Amino acid sequence: GAVVSQHPSRVICKSGTSVKIECRSLDFQATTMFWYRQFPKQSLMLMATSNEGSKATYEQGVEKDKFLINHASLTLSTLTVTSAHPEDSSFYICSVISGTSGHEQFFGPGTRLTVL
Amino acid sequence: AQRVTQPEKLLSVFKGAPVELKCNYSYSGSPELFWYVQYSRQRLQLLLRHISRESIKGFTADLNKGETSFHLKKPFAQEEDSAMYYCALSPRGGADGLTFGKGTHLIIQP
């Protein structure tokens, strides 16, 4: 299966600052990556689909100007939370699709964001 | 819009007892259904998907289109099965982002 890493694993920032989270596919080239968020004791919610070389597709209710996604290479997608507020505190998880595994999604370990 | 419902937040059974984690879905087309598992301090990983019709770690799940259900079953629970289990749906065979249920925390008591 695919190996997916995220960096950082946890970040604490002040309200109003921006935070960048990286998602890397370590052992294969991923044209499509997904970003999810998970609030405490709740399920994962799909935020957006990140496509290499093109604009991300956002789910309804997700602000594209708030959550900037860049998928500049086949192994890296970044999520930038702009002007973060305490309500953005969450667990952000990325996944990649492996076409060779019948479109199985492989998940990163997640990034815990805490906005003070 | 699609929806996945897992009615049980927590399920506790004794080792050796049968386990059934319920999952119901709503979607107008023919989706693909998955079960993902998250062991303590580990990342989410695929347990099984309905199209493969496999048995993984003794778990099976049958898609019942009439009842729109995809319940996960295991005849004899083991302590290492303790984990969070998420049922998920994809409209296009996994090529889309997944819609997850809220998850069921399964605890296997010794």
Side-chain angles (χ1 to χ4, degrees):
Chain A
V3 180
V4 182
S5 71
Q6 284 185 239
H7 178 79
S9 58
R10 59 179 62 207
V11 57
I12 300 172
C13 69
K14 292 182 179 179
S15 187
T17 60
S18 294
V19 175
K20 181 186 283 187
I21 301 169
E22 294 183 348
C23 176
R24 292 185 184 273
S25 172
L26 298 182
D27 55 352
F28 86 106
Q29 296 179 328
T31 56
T32 301
M33 296 184 178
F34 300 100
W35 286 97
Y36 298 83
R37 68 187 295 182
Q38 184 177 30
F39 290 107
K41 298 187 188 293
Q42 295 192 31
S43 187
L44 286 81
M45 297 280 294
L46 179 66
M47 298 175 68
T49 302
S50 170
N51 301 296
E52 188 270 334
S54 64
K55 289 184 179 179
T57 304
Y58 290 82
E59 294 299 301
Q60 194 172 12
V62 178
E63 298 175 58
K64 62 179 71 174
D65 295 328
K66 171 80 173 173
F67 299 99
L68 300 177
I69 291 173
N70 185 288
H71 193 155
S73 79
L74 288 171
T75 59
L76 174 65
S77 175
T78 61
L79 168 69
T80 301
V81 183
T82 62
S83 187
H85 290 282
E87 56 265 30
D88 299 324
S89 298
S90 189
F91 200 54
Y92 292 87
I93 305 169
C94 72
S95 73
V96 307
I97 272 195
S98 169
T100 58
S101 298
H103 292 130
E104 178 177 344
Q105 286 193 30
F106 296 90
F107 286 82
T111 296
R112 170 81 58 198
L113 170 63
T114 302
V115 184
L116 302 176
Chain B
Q2 57 263 32
R3 178 179 240 177
V4 177
T5 303
Q6 293 179 250
E8 304 135 332
K9 272 189 179 180
L10 174 66
L11 183 63
S12 179
V13 301
F14 286 102
K15 177 183 171 182
V19 172
E20 182 178 48
L21 287 78
K22 290 185 168 46
C23 172
N24 288 88
Y25 68 92
S26 64
Y27 181 66
S28 55
S30 294
E32 183 162 359
L33 274 296
F34 304 80
W35 276 100
Y36 279 83
V37 60
Q38 188 169 29
Y39 300 103
S40 180
R41 299 183 187 281
Q42 294 187 29
R43 66 186 70 189
L44 209 60
Q45 57 185 283
L46 179 66
L47 181 61
L48 52 80
R49 58 199 305 177
H50 89 266
I51 60 165
S52 60
R53 304 183 68 82
E54 295 175 296
S55 172
I56 306 292
K57 300 185 178 184
F59 285 97
T60 59
D62 290 317
L63 181 62
N64 185 322
K65 292 185 179 181
E67 296 182 357
T68 59
S69 68
F70 188 56
H71 302 327
L72 183 68
K73 300 178 184 179
K74 184 169 182 175
F76 307 103
Q78 297 171 293
E79 288 186 66
E80 53 266 32
D81 296 329
S82 296
M84 278 295 295
Y85 291 80
Y86 294 95
C87 183
L89 174 159
S90 172
R92 288 195 303 142
D96 290 327
L98 297 168
T99 298
F100 283 90
K102 291 189 175 182
T104 298
H105 187 187
L106 176 64
I107 296 174
I108 308 300
Q109 299 191 49

